[in-house]
Amino acid sequence: MDVLEAMRGRKSTRAYLDKPVARETVEAILDAARWAPSGVNSQPWQVAVVTGTIKARIGDELLAARQARQPENPDYAYYPKDWQEPYKSRRKATGLALYQALNIGKDDAFARIKAWNNNYRFFGAPVGLLFFVDRALAQGAWVDMGMFIQNVMLAARGHGLETCPQASLAEYPDIVRGILTIPATCALVCGMALGYADASAPVNCYRIEREPVNAFTSWYE
């Protein structure tokens, strides 16, 4: 796949076919992604690939914590406490588009909760990825992690797969670390669903608008 096509066609996929992904394919994706840039070639990324029983256990325990109203304790704040414009409006528009695609009304609280809980099941994808970074590193390593994670998503498209990066899977990092026996010195950045997209699913048939170049770019001469 052409790299520009991979970039422009990438979207968060929230429904997957019941079709396994070969380990060799996941290895090939990570082998391509590892060429992401990083400051002084520190290569801070650490990846846990979960499938089968372990993936299901992670989903079960995260969902149980959520349903028990256990306070979230992420390793970092992904979102601001107070949303300001224009980000507040973009967030609202994104939520509306998602629920419209799922045909969920704004007053249907039960359906919204059910849809949200799919996050903890990796949206039914056969493979889950969890990304960690050493806490001893500074903020620059998190920038490097972002470039690596984007590489994973683009490489996946090159293999006919789709993804959904998920901050929700990092809401209870101690649960995830405990299941995977990963030390607390590793911060959980996010998770990701990986698999073959279900093209017939309505949730995969909409796109979120992006701002045009001139809206976020200033030119200086």
Side-chain angles (χ1 to χ4, degrees):
M1 178 180 290
D2 174 77
V3 65
L4 295 180
E5 179 185 352
M7 292 166 64
R8 292 178 177 134
R10 188 219 62 83
K11 60 182 179 181
S12 293
T13 297
R14 293 182 173 87
Y16 294 85
L17 298 176
D18 184 16
K19 179 179 178 181
V21 177
R23 174 170 177 162
E24 293 76 16
T25 302
V26 179
E27 289 178 342
I29 290 169
L30 296 175
D31 185 61
R34 69 192 176 98
W35 294 99
S38 59
V40 298
N41 196 32
S42 58
Q43 304 175 65
W45 38 81
Q46 299 178 46
V47 186
V49 181
V50 296
T51 59
T53 303
I54 291 296
K55 181 172 70 69
R57 181 183 170 191
I58 289 174
D60 289 343
E61 295 197 21
L62 290 178
L63 187 55
R66 181 84 175 184
Q67 293 175 335
R69 299 183 182 276
Q70 180 177 326
E72 299 171 9
N73 66 326
D75 292 324
Y76 69 105
Y78 189 96
Y79 296 114
K81 291 183 179 179
D82 298 310
W83 288 88
Q84 305 295 325
E85 294 296 350
Y87 316 109
K88 184 177 181 179
S89 294
R90 292 174 185 168
R91 177 195 184 204
K92 182 178 180 180
T94 297
L96 287 173
L98 172 61
Y99 291 126
Q100 286 174 357
L102 292 169
N103 196 28
I104 296 175
K106 65 178 182 179
D107 297 324
D108 193 342
F110 177 79
R112 287 184 175 230
I113 292 173
K114 183 178 179 181
W116 177 259
N117 288 346
N118 285 333
N119 277 282
Y120 308 108
R121 303 291 190 191
F122 295 86
F123 296 112
V127 178
L129 305 176
L130 295 153
F131 301 94
F132 296 86
V133 64
D134 194 322
R135 294 180 191 270
L137 297 173
Q139 288 178 314
W142 291 71
V143 176
D144 300 337
M145 286 295 300
M147 292 186 282
F148 173 77
I149 291 169
Q150 177 75 350
N151 263 12
V152 171
M153 293 188 286
L154 297 180
R157 300 209 71 218
H159 286 272
L161 301 168
E162 298 294 348
T163 59
C164 184
Q166 297 175 254
S168 56
L169 294 172
E171 291 173 350
Y172 302 99
D174 292 331
I175 291 176
V176 176
R177 279 190 290 261
I179 294 172
L180 302 178
T181 63
I182 289 176
T185 53
C186 294
L188 177 54
V189 179
C190 69
M192 182 183 293
L194 171 69
Y196 294 95
D198 182 352
S200 66
V203 74
N204 289 338
C205 298
Y206 77 100
R207 292 300 303 270
I208 299 297
E209 293 295 326
R210 294 294 194 271
E211 291 294 310
V213 172
N214 286 340
F216 60 82
T217 306
S218 299
W219 302 86
Y220 302 90
E221 295 182 1

